[in-house]
């Protein structure tokens, strides 16, 4: 019923930048916290950044001062601006959102993932 669709991944050189986008569509009453997670092969999925509906961000220590999360509540979208990328940022990045489909029913949803590869 609720779909999250990511875009913006790709191949970039170390020190480069990418901007990820995620759109939530479907039957949506309200979108609360939205965020980005990533998973590299053989590693556990980890939180990269999240942002409340009022715009308060939270970042993993490994990406602080390099990544910026933002959102557009009118469009039910969340973005991740990634600067000064490092090879260790290489992973599949997943969008996550806590979505209420009515005033009582809220649940977490995941996008399909988008590949980010940082390599020279």
């Amino acid at each position: 019923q609720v779909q999250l669709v990511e875009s913006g991944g790709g191949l970039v050189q170390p020190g480069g930048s990418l901007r990820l986008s995620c759109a939530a569509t479907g039957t949506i009453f309200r979108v609360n916290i939205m965020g980005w997670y990533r998973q590299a092969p053989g590693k556990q999925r980890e939180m990269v950044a999240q942002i409340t509906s009022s715009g308060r961000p939270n970042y993993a220590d490994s990406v602080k001062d390099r990544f910026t999360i933002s959102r557009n509540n009118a469009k039910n979208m969340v973005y991740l601006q990634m600067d000064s990328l490092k090879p260790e940022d290489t992973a599949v990045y997943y969008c996550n959102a806590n979505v209420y489909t009515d005033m009582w029913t809220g649940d977490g949803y995941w996008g399909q993932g988008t590949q980010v590869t940082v390599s020279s």
Side-chain angles (χ1 to χ4, degrees), residues 24-45:
T25 62
T27 303
I28 298 174
F29 178 78
R30 185 175 70 254
V31 181
N32 290 337
I33 292 177
M34 305 183 80
W36 292 93
Y37 292 69
R38 68 186 182 188
Q39 188 166 24
K43 296 183 179 180
Q44 188 175 359
R45 186 175 298 187

Side-chain angles (χ1 to χ4, degrees), residues 57-116:
N58 186 48
Y59 300 97
D61 288 341
S62 60
V63 307
K64 286 182 179 178
D65 302 318
R66 298 189 299 118
F67 292 7
T68 303
I69 189 170
S70 60
R71 64 189 290 165
N72 185 324
N73 290 337
K75 296 182 178 180
N76 292 324
M77 295 190 69
V78 63
Y79 311 92
L80 186 67
Q81 178 67 43
M82 304 185 294
D83 298 320
S84 301
L85 283 161
K86 305 175 180 179
E88 49 263 46
D89 294 318
T90 296
V92 177
Y93 284 69
Y94 297 90
C95 179
N96 176 264
N98 178 248
V99 180
Y100 276 69
T101 52
D102 56 46
M103 68 178 297
W104 302 107
T105 309
D107 205 354
Y109 296 88
W110 292 95
Q112 80 287 345
T114 184
Q115 177 71 47
V116 172

